[in-house]
Amino acid sequence: MIYFDYQSSKPVDPRVIESMLPYFDKKFGNPSSLHKIGDEATEILDHSRQAVAKFINAKPEEIIFTSGATESNNLALIGFALRNKHKGNHIIISEIEHISLHNIAKYLQKNGFEITRVPVDFYGQIDLDALKDSITDKTILVSINYANNEVGTIQEIAEIGNLCRERGIAFHTDAVAAESQIHINVEDNKIDLMTLSSNDIYGPKGVGVLYIKKGLRLNPIIIGGGQEFGLRSGTENIPGIVGMKTAAEIMEKEMDSEIATLKVYQKKLIQGVLDNIPDSYLNGHPEKRLANNVHFRFDGIEGESLLLALKDKDISVSTGSACSSKTLEPSHTLIALGLVHEEAHGSLQLTMGRFNKPEDIDTLLNLLPGVVKKLRGLSPLYKES
Ligand code: PMP
Protein backbone atom coordinates (compact mmCIF):
# COMPACT_ATOMS: atom_id res chain seq x y z
CA MET A 1 0.00 0.00 0.00
CA ILE A 2 1.36 3.41 -1.00
CA TYR A 3 -0.09 6.38 0.85
CA PHE A 4 -0.36 9.88 -0.59
CA ASP A 5 -3.10 11.36 1.59
CA TYR A 6 -1.19 12.73 4.58
CA GLN A 7 -3.30 15.90 4.65
CA SER A 8 -6.46 14.00 5.58
CA SER A 9 -4.82 11.68 8.11
CA LYS A 10 -1.33 10.93 9.35
CA PRO A 11 -0.22 7.74 11.07
CA VAL A 12 0.72 8.38 14.68
CA ASP A 13 4.50 8.19 15.05
CA PRO A 14 5.47 5.06 17.06
CA ARG A 15 7.54 7.27 19.41
CA VAL A 16 4.40 9.27 20.12
CA ILE A 17 2.38 6.13 20.90
CA GLU A 18 5.13 4.93 23.24
CA SER A 19 5.06 8.21 25.18
CA MET A 20 1.25 8.09 25.55
CA LEU A 21 0.91 4.55 26.87
CA PRO A 22 1.67 5.12 30.61
CA TYR A 23 -1.05 7.79 30.75
CA PHE A 24 -3.83 5.29 30.02
CA ASP A 25 -3.23 3.10 33.07
CA LYS A 26 -0.24 3.70 35.37
CA LYS A 27 -0.45 7.50 35.30
CA PHE A 28 -4.18 7.83 34.88
CA GLY A 29 -4.74 10.88 37.09
CA ASN A 30 -7.02 13.85 36.63
CA PRO A 31 -5.12 17.16 36.87
CA SER A 32 -7.96 18.60 38.96
CA SER A 33 -7.37 16.03 41.75
CA LEU A 34 -5.21 17.14 44.64
CA HIS A 35 -3.57 13.78 45.46
CA LYS A 36 -0.26 12.47 44.11
CA ILE A 37 -1.72 10.79 41.02
CA GLY A 38 -3.48 14.07 40.26
CA ASP A 39 -0.24 16.02 40.77
CA GLU A 40 1.49 13.76 38.27
CA ALA A 41 -1.18 14.61 35.70
CA THR A 42 -0.86 18.33 36.42
CA GLU A 43 2.89 18.10 35.97
CA ILE A 44 2.72 16.41 32.57
CA LEU A 45 -0.05 18.80 31.48
CA ASP A 46 2.23 21.74 32.32
CA HIS A 47 5.16 20.15 30.49
CA SER A 48 2.99 19.52 27.47
CA ARG A 49 1.81 23.12 27.44
CA GLN A 50 5.43 24.28 27.59
CA ALA A 51 6.49 21.99 24.73
CA VAL A 52 3.66 23.08 22.43
CA ALA A 53 4.29 26.74 23.34
CA LYS A 54 7.98 26.35 22.44
CA PHE A 55 7.01 24.77 19.11
CA ILE A 56 5.36 28.06 17.99
CA ASN A 57 7.32 30.56 20.12
CA ALA A 58 4.40 31.23 22.46
CA LYS A 59 4.08 31.32 26.26
CA PRO A 60 2.66 28.26 28.02
CA GLU A 61 -0.31 30.21 29.36
CA GLU A 62 -1.24 31.08 25.77
CA ILE A 63 -1.91 27.42 24.89
CA ILE A 64 -5.43 25.99 25.28
CA PHE A 65 -5.84 22.27 24.62
CA THR A 66 -9.01 21.36 22.71
CA SER A 67 -10.50 18.31 21.00
CA GLY A 68 -9.02 19.26 17.63
CA ALA A 69 -8.84 21.89 14.94
CA THR A 70 -12.60 22.16 14.44
CA GLU A 71 -13.10 23.03 18.10
CA SER A 72 -10.16 25.44 18.05
CA ASN A 73 -11.66 27.22 15.04
CA ASN A 74 -15.03 27.40 16.85
CA LEU A 75 -13.45 28.82 20.00
CA ALA A 76 -11.38 31.31 18.01
CA LEU A 77 -14.22 32.71 15.95
CA ILE A 78 -17.31 32.27 18.11
CA GLY A 79 -15.51 32.83 21.42
CA PHE A 80 -13.85 35.98 20.13
CA ALA A 81 -16.93 37.30 18.33
CA LEU A 82 -19.18 36.91 21.37
CA ARG A 83 -16.72 38.54 23.75
CA ASN A 84 -15.92 41.46 21.44
CA LYS A 85 -19.22 42.21 19.74
CA HIS A 86 -19.48 45.54 21.56
CA LYS A 87 -16.47 46.64 19.46
CA GLY A 88 -17.96 45.63 16.10
CA ASN A 89 -19.74 42.86 14.25
CA HIS A 90 -17.63 42.46 11.11
CA ILE A 91 -15.36 39.47 10.48
CA ILE A 92 -13.18 38.84 7.43
CA ILE A 93 -12.22 35.37 6.22
CA SER A 94 -10.91 34.14 2.86
CA GLU A 95 -12.73 32.20 0.17
CA ILE A 96 -10.38 29.25 0.64
CA GLU A 97 -10.78 28.46 4.32
CA HIS A 98 -11.37 24.93 5.57
CA ILE A 99 -15.03 23.88 5.53
CA SER A 100 -15.17 24.11 9.35
CA LEU A 101 -14.27 27.78 9.24
CA HIS A 102 -16.73 28.53 6.42
CA ASN A 103 -19.53 26.90 8.36
CA ILE A 104 -18.62 28.74 11.59
CA ALA A 105 -18.70 32.01 9.62
CA LYS A 106 -22.16 31.10 8.26
CA TYR A 107 -23.33 30.39 11.81
CA LEU A 108 -22.07 33.79 12.99
CA GLN A 109 -23.73 35.43 9.99
CA LYS A 110 -27.07 33.94 11.04
CA ASN A 111 -26.46 35.37 14.49
CA GLY A 112 -25.96 38.99 13.59
CA PHE A 113 -22.34 39.17 12.40
CA GLU A 114 -21.32 40.41 8.97
CA ILE A 115 -18.85 38.25 7.08
CA THR A 116 -16.63 39.30 4.17
CA ARG A 117 -14.94 36.53 2.16
CA VAL A 118 -11.76 37.88 0.57
CA PRO A 119 -10.91 36.46 -2.87
CA VAL A 120 -7.65 34.78 -3.86
CA ASP A 121 -5.66 34.86 -7.10
CA PHE A 122 -5.22 31.96 -9.53
CA TYR A 123 -2.45 30.51 -7.34
CA GLY A 124 -4.50 30.69 -4.15
CA GLN A 125 -2.89 33.72 -2.56
CA ILE A 126 -5.01 36.25 -0.72
CA ASP A 127 -5.59 39.51 -2.52
CA LEU A 128 -4.02 41.83 0.07
CA ASP A 129 -5.57 44.94 -1.47
CA ALA A 130 -9.00 43.36 -1.27
CA LEU A 131 -8.27 42.50 2.35
CA LYS A 132 -7.27 46.10 3.12
CA ASP A 133 -10.32 47.46 1.29
CA SER A 134 -12.70 45.20 3.14
CA ILE A 135 -11.67 46.46 6.59
CA THR A 136 -14.27 48.77 8.15
CA ASP A 137 -14.52 50.42 11.55
CA LYS A 138 -16.73 47.49 12.56
CA THR A 139 -14.07 44.85 11.76
CA ILE A 140 -12.96 42.95 14.85
CA LEU A 141 -11.34 39.80 13.43
CA VAL A 142 -9.54 38.51 10.33
CA SER A 143 -9.17 34.75 9.86
CA ILE A 144 -6.95 33.49 7.04
CA ASN A 145 -5.36 30.05 6.84
CA TYR A 146 -1.54 29.91 7.14
CA ALA A 147 -1.39 27.61 4.14
CA ASN A 148 -4.21 26.00 2.21
CA ASN A 149 -5.04 22.41 3.06
CA GLU A 150 -5.92 21.50 -0.55
CA VAL A 151 -3.54 23.22 -2.96
CA GLY A 152 -0.82 23.95 -0.38
CA THR A 153 -0.44 27.66 -1.18
CA ILE A 154 1.31 29.57 1.62
CA GLN A 155 -0.11 32.99 2.53
CA GLU A 156 1.82 36.20 3.28
CA ILE A 157 1.15 35.70 6.97
CA ALA A 158 3.57 38.35 8.29
CA GLU A 159 2.03 41.00 6.03
CA ILE A 160 -1.50 40.07 7.08
CA GLY A 161 -0.40 40.02 10.73
CA ASN A 162 1.19 43.48 10.41
CA LEU A 163 -1.85 44.91 8.70
CA CYS A 164 -4.20 43.60 11.38
CA ARG A 165 -1.97 44.76 14.25
CA GLU A 166 -1.69 48.27 12.73
CA ARG A 167 -5.46 48.48 12.43
CA GLY A 168 -6.14 47.08 15.90
CA ILE A 169 -7.91 43.99 14.53
CA ALA A 170 -7.33 40.50 15.93
CA PHE A 171 -5.75 38.00 13.50
CA HIS A 172 -6.61 34.30 13.62
CA THR A 173 -4.92 31.72 11.41
CA ASP A 174 -5.74 28.04 10.93
CA ALA A 175 -2.23 26.58 10.74
CA VAL A 176 -3.21 22.92 10.45
CA ALA A 177 -1.85 22.42 6.93
CA ALA A 178 1.31 24.43 7.68
CA GLU A 179 2.38 23.15 11.09
CA SER A 180 4.39 20.18 9.81
CA GLN A 181 6.01 22.20 6.99
CA ILE A 182 6.87 25.64 8.41
CA HIS A 183 8.56 26.70 11.66
CA ILE A 184 5.79 28.93 12.96
CA ASN A 185 6.59 31.94 15.10
CA VAL A 186 3.45 33.61 16.44
CA GLU A 187 5.36 36.63 17.81
CA ASP A 188 7.20 37.48 14.58
CA ASN A 189 4.06 37.10 12.50
CA LYS A 190 1.83 39.07 14.89
CA ILE A 191 -0.65 36.25 15.17
CA ASP A 192 -3.29 36.67 17.90
CA LEU A 193 -5.13 33.35 17.61
CA MET A 194 -3.91 30.16 15.96
CA THR A 195 -5.41 26.72 15.41
CA LEU A 196 -3.21 23.62 15.58
CA SER A 197 -4.06 19.93 15.31
CA SER A 198 -2.14 17.07 16.89
CA ASN A 199 -2.66 14.58 14.07
CA ASP A 200 -1.12 16.94 11.55
CA ILE A 201 2.22 16.59 13.34
CA TYR A 202 1.87 12.78 13.70
CA GLY A 203 0.11 12.90 17.05
CA PRO A 204 -3.26 11.29 17.89
CA LYS A 205 -6.55 12.55 16.48
CA GLY A 206 -9.04 14.31 18.75
CA VAL A 207 -6.48 16.72 20.22
CA GLY A 208 -5.73 20.25 19.15
CA VAL A 209 -4.68 23.63 20.42
CA LEU A 210 -5.88 27.17 20.23
CA TYR A 211 -3.08 29.66 20.78
CA ILE A 212 -4.51 32.82 22.34
CA LYS A 213 -2.20 35.81 22.63
CA LYS A 214 -1.92 36.98 26.21
CA GLY A 215 -4.39 39.73 26.97
CA LEU A 216 -6.89 38.80 24.26
CA ARG A 217 -10.36 38.15 25.66
CA LEU A 218 -12.64 35.32 24.49
CA ASN A 219 -15.81 33.75 25.82
CA PRO A 220 -15.65 29.99 26.37
CA ILE A 221 -17.90 27.94 24.13
CA ILE A 222 -17.72 24.82 26.33
CA ILE A 223 -18.86 25.68 29.82
CA GLY A 224 -18.25 23.47 32.85
CA GLY A 225 -15.63 22.96 35.53
CA GLY A 226 -13.36 25.75 34.30
CA GLN A 227 -10.36 23.75 33.04
CA GLU A 228 -7.90 25.33 30.58
CA PHE A 229 -7.99 28.76 32.30
CA GLY A 230 -11.78 28.73 32.16
CA LEU A 231 -11.72 28.72 28.37
CA ARG A 232 -12.33 25.02 27.67
CA SER A 233 -14.03 23.02 30.36
CA GLY A 234 -13.91 19.24 30.59
CA THR A 235 -11.35 16.84 32.06
CA GLU A 236 -8.18 17.14 30.02
CA ASN A 237 -7.39 14.31 27.58
CA ILE A 238 -3.99 13.64 29.17
CA PRO A 239 -2.84 10.72 26.95
CA GLY A 240 -3.79 12.72 23.86
CA ILE A 241 -2.13 15.89 25.14
CA VAL A 242 1.06 13.95 25.95
CA GLY A 243 0.91 12.59 22.40
CA MET A 244 0.71 16.11 21.00
CA LYS A 245 3.64 17.18 23.20
CA THR A 246 5.85 14.37 21.91
CA ALA A 247 4.70 14.98 18.34
CA ALA A 248 5.63 18.68 18.63
CA GLU A 249 9.06 17.87 20.12
CA ILE A 250 9.85 15.41 17.32
CA MET A 251 8.53 17.76 14.64
CA GLU A 252 10.65 20.62 15.91
CA LYS A 253 13.80 18.50 15.64
CA GLU A 254 13.03 16.71 12.38
CA MET A 255 11.12 19.26 10.34
CA ASP A 256 14.08 20.64 8.40
CA SER A 257 15.32 17.27 7.22
CA GLU A 258 11.76 16.14 6.42
CA ILE A 259 11.13 19.25 4.34
CA ALA A 260 14.39 18.68 2.44
CA THR A 261 13.29 15.14 1.53
CA LEU A 262 9.74 16.18 0.67
CA LYS A 263 11.03 18.92 -1.63
CA VAL A 264 12.94 16.32 -3.62
CA TYR A 265 9.81 14.16 -3.93
CA GLN A 266 7.70 17.18 -4.80
CA LYS A 267 10.01 18.36 -7.57
CA LYS A 268 10.24 14.88 -9.04
CA LEU A 269 6.46 14.41 -9.01
CA ILE A 270 5.71 17.78 -10.55
CA GLN A 271 8.27 17.36 -13.31
CA GLY A 272 7.41 13.73 -13.88
CA VAL A 273 3.70 14.43 -14.28
CA LEU A 274 3.88 17.65 -16.29
CA ASP A 275 6.57 16.24 -18.64
CA ASN A 276 4.97 12.85 -19.24
CA ILE A 277 1.23 13.44 -19.17
CA PRO A 278 -0.15 15.75 -21.87
CA ASP A 279 -2.76 18.31 -20.84
CA SER A 280 -1.85 18.09 -17.18
CA TYR A 281 -1.44 21.16 -14.98
CA LEU A 282 -0.31 22.05 -11.48
CA ASN A 283 -2.93 23.70 -9.24
CA GLY A 284 -1.74 26.20 -6.64
CA HIS A 285 1.44 28.22 -6.43
CA PRO A 286 4.57 26.97 -8.25
CA GLU A 287 6.90 28.15 -5.43
CA LYS A 288 4.98 29.39 -2.42
CA ARG A 289 3.59 25.97 -1.63
CA LEU A 290 3.99 23.45 1.16
CA ALA A 291 6.72 20.89 0.47
CA ASN A 292 4.36 17.98 1.13
CA ASN A 293 1.75 19.00 -1.44
CA VAL A 294 1.24 18.47 -5.15
CA HIS A 295 -2.13 19.08 -6.79
CA PHE A 296 -2.78 18.39 -10.47
CA ARG A 297 -5.61 18.64 -12.89
CA PHE A 298 -5.97 16.56 -16.01
CA ASP A 299 -8.15 17.56 -18.97
CA GLY A 300 -10.93 15.19 -19.87
CA ILE A 301 -11.07 12.97 -16.79
CA GLU A 302 -12.64 12.98 -13.36
CA GLY A 303 -10.33 13.06 -10.34
CA GLU A 304 -12.63 10.54 -8.72
CA SER A 305 -12.18 7.93 -11.47
CA LEU A 306 -8.44 8.46 -11.20
CA LEU A 307 -8.64 7.95 -7.42
CA LEU A 308 -10.55 4.68 -7.91
CA ALA A 309 -8.16 3.43 -10.60
CA LEU A 310 -5.21 4.09 -8.29
CA LYS A 311 -7.08 2.51 -5.37
CA ASP A 312 -7.20 -0.69 -7.45
CA LYS A 313 -3.42 -0.54 -7.57
CA ASP A 314 -3.17 -0.03 -3.77
CA ILE A 315 -2.26 3.64 -4.02
CA SER A 316 -4.20 6.04 -1.77
CA VAL A 317 -4.72 9.54 -3.14
CA SER A 318 -7.36 12.22 -2.72
CA THR A 319 -9.38 14.65 -4.77
CA GLY A 320 -9.48 17.31 -2.05
CA SER A 321 -10.33 17.84 1.59
CA ALA A 322 -11.53 14.64 3.31
CA CYS A 323 -13.98 16.76 5.31
CA SER A 324 -15.84 17.66 2.08
CA SER A 325 -15.35 14.38 0.18
CA LYS A 326 -18.93 13.15 0.59
CA THR A 327 -20.43 16.02 -1.41
CA LEU A 328 -20.77 16.07 -5.20
CA GLU A 329 -19.99 19.78 -5.27
CA PRO A 330 -16.60 20.74 -6.69
CA SER A 331 -14.03 22.00 -4.19
CA HIS A 332 -14.82 25.57 -3.10
CA THR A 333 -11.07 26.20 -3.02
CA LEU A 334 -10.53 25.26 -6.67
CA ILE A 335 -13.55 27.30 -7.74
CA ALA A 336 -12.14 30.28 -5.78
CA LEU A 337 -8.87 29.87 -7.74
CA GLY A 338 -10.92 30.44 -10.88
CA LEU A 339 -11.19 26.88 -12.17
CA VAL A 340 -14.40 25.88 -13.93
CA HIS A 341 -16.37 22.90 -12.61
CA GLU A 342 -14.89 20.37 -15.07
CA GLU A 343 -11.36 21.47 -14.20
CA ALA A 344 -12.08 21.28 -10.49
CA HIS A 345 -13.56 17.79 -10.92
CA GLY A 346 -10.48 16.70 -12.89
CA SER A 347 -8.14 17.36 -9.98
CA LEU A 348 -5.96 15.05 -7.95
CA GLN A 349 -4.36 15.89 -4.60
CA LEU A 350 -1.24 14.08 -3.41
CA THR A 351 0.09 14.85 0.05
CA MET A 352 3.27 13.19 1.24
CA GLY A 353 4.82 12.69 4.63
CA ARG A 354 7.28 11.19 7.08
CA PHE A 355 6.87 7.58 5.99
CA ASN A 356 6.95 7.91 2.20
CA LYS A 357 9.89 6.28 0.42
CA PRO A 358 11.55 7.39 -2.84
CA GLU A 359 10.16 4.21 -4.45
CA ASP A 360 6.61 5.46 -3.78
CA ILE A 361 7.24 8.39 -6.09
CA ASP A 362 8.77 6.13 -8.76
CA THR A 363 5.86 3.69 -8.59
CA LEU A 364 3.31 6.46 -8.98
CA LEU A 365 5.21 8.09 -11.84
CA ASN A 366 5.43 4.75 -13.64
CA LEU A 367 1.72 4.06 -13.29
CA LEU A 368 0.04 7.43 -13.62
CA PRO A 369 0.59 8.20 -17.35
CA GLY A 370 -0.92 4.82 -18.34
CA VAL A 371 -3.88 5.21 -15.97
CA VAL A 372 -4.63 8.73 -17.24
CA LYS A 373 -4.33 7.57 -20.86
CA LYS A 374 -6.69 4.64 -20.27
CA LEU A 375 -9.31 6.81 -18.56
CA ARG A 376 -9.07 9.40 -21.30
CA GLY A 377 -9.58 6.66 -23.88
CA LEU A 378 -12.93 5.96 -22.21
CA SER A 379 -13.88 9.62 -21.92
CA PRO A 380 -16.03 11.28 -24.60
CA LEU A 381 -14.85 14.63 -23.20
CA TYR A 382 -11.16 14.28 -23.99
CA LYS A 383 -9.54 15.51 -27.19
CA GLU A 384 -5.75 15.78 -27.07
CA SER A 385 -4.69 19.41 -27.56
N1 PMP B 1 -8.56 22.97 9.49
C1 PMP B 1 -7.88 22.39 8.49
C2 PMP B 1 -7.01 23.22 7.62
C3 PMP B 1 -7.99 21.00 8.27
O1 PMP B 1 -7.31 20.42 7.27
C4 PMP B 1 -8.82 20.24 9.13
C5 PMP B 1 -8.98 18.76 8.89
N2 PMP B 1 -7.80 18.05 9.08
C6 PMP B 1 -9.50 20.91 10.15
C7 PMP B 1 -9.34 22.26 10.30
C8 PMP B 1 -10.41 20.14 11.09
O2 PMP B 1 -9.68 19.24 11.85
P1 PMP B 1 -10.40 18.17 12.81
O3 PMP B 1 -11.31 17.38 11.90
O4 PMP B 1 -9.30 17.38 13.36
O5 PMP B 1 -11.18 18.92 13.83
Side-chain angles (χ1 to χ4, degrees), residues 110-174:
K110 279 193 201 132
N111 285 279
F113 287 87
E114 271 179 42
I115 308 291
T116 301
R117 296 164 183 87
V118 180
V120 294
D121 64 16
F122 181 64
Y123 297 115
Q125 280 212 306
I126 300 299
D127 181 337
L128 286 172
D129 289 329
L131 174 60
K132 275 181 208 151
D133 292 346
S134 62
I135 295 174
T136 72
D137 55 2
K138 296 261 168 43
T139 310
I140 51 170
L141 179 67
V142 168
S143 177
I144 309 259
N145 57 75
Y146 207 113
N148 182 259
N149 58 302
E150 289 183 59
V151 292
T153 302
I154 303 168
Q155 302 301 340
E156 304 292 352
I157 289 297
E159 279 190 53
I160 301 171
N162 269 327
L163 171 69
C164 292
R165 192 64 56 89
E166 276 166 14
R167 307 289 285 265
I169 299 163
F171 173 39
H172 168 252
T173 185
D174 178 338

Side-chain angles (χ1 to χ4, degrees), residues 180-199:
S180 67
Q181 305 296 312
I182 296 171
H183 290 284
I184 297 177
N185 187 322
V186 287
E187 282 293 322
D188 288 357
N189 290 291
K190 304 198 170 55
I191 295 167
D192 297 305
L193 294 157
M194 186 168 79
T195 294
L196 294 175
S197 145
S198 152
N199 186 236

Side-chain angles (χ1 to χ4, degrees), residues 52-268:
V52 175
K54 184 164 171 276
F55 182 57
I56 56 168
N57 192 34
K59 300 176 191 74
E61 63 271 26
E62 296 174 321
I63 301 297
I64 304 295
F65 287 108
T66 66
S67 67
T70 300
E71 188 191 323
S72 298
N73 282 344
N74 273 270
L75 178 57
L77 267 76
I78 299 174
F80 186 85
L82 293 183
R83 182 61 173 253
N84 294 282
K85 65 176 183 232
H86 60 285
K87 296 184 191 155
N89 70 340
H90 181 227
I91 295 171
I92 302 172
I93 66 170
S94 85
E95 283 184 348
I96 60 163
E97 295 306 312
H98 183 262
I99 187 76
S100 61
L101 214 117
H102 275 296
N103 284 336
I104 295 163
K106 277 188 205 157
Y107 170 84
L108 285 170
Q109 206 162 11
K110 279 193 201 132
N111 285 279
F113 287 87
E114 271 179 42
I115 308 291
T116 301
R117 296 164 183 87
V118 180
V120 294
D121 64 16
F122 181 64
Y123 297 115
Q125 280 212 306
I126 300 299
D127 181 337
L128 286 172
D129 289 329
L131 174 60
K132 275 181 208 151
D133 292 346
S134 62
I135 295 174
T136 72
D137 55 2
K138 296 261 168 43
T139 310
I140 51 170
L141 179 67
V142 168
S143 177
I144 309 259
N145 57 75
Y146 207 113
N148 182 259
N149 58 302
E150 289 183 59
V151 292
T153 302
I154 303 168
Q155 302 301 340
E156 304 292 352
I157 289 297
E159 279 190 53
I160 301 171
N162 269 327
L163 171 69
C164 292
R165 192 64 56 89
E166 276 166 14
R167 307 289 285 265
I169 299 163
F171 173 39
H172 168 252
T173 185
D174 178 338
V176 166
E179 64 188 295
S180 67
Q181 305 296 312
I182 296 171
H183 290 284
I184 297 177
N185 187 322
V186 287
E187 282 293 322
D188 288 357
N189 290 291
K190 304 198 170 55
I191 295 167
D192 297 305
L193 294 157
M194 186 168 79
T195 294
L196 294 175
S197 145
S198 152
N199 186 236
D200 282 79
I201 49 173
Y202 304 90
K205 292 183 185 57
V207 187
V209 152
L210 182 66
Y211 155 79
I212 306 177
K213 187 175 169 56
K214 205 170 173 178
L216 214 67
R217 296 275 169 261
L218 274 78
N219 277 3
I221 54 168
I222 297 182
I223 322 279
Q227 290 89 343
E228 297 297 291
F229 315 113
L231 278 167
R232 200 280 177 180
S233 285
T235 303
E236 298 85 346
N237 170 7
I238 295 294
I241 289 171
V242 171
M244 186 165 185
K245 160 198 182 295
T246 314
E249 287 167 344
I250 296 172
M251 198 78 243
E252 205 173 307
K253 285 200 202 94
E254 300 185 0
M255 190 189 293
D256 289 337
S257 69
E258 271 180 35
I259 291 175
T261 308
L262 290 170
K263 279 195 170 153
V264 175
Y265 296 167
Q266 184 185 46
K267 193 169 172 203
K268 194 166 176 183

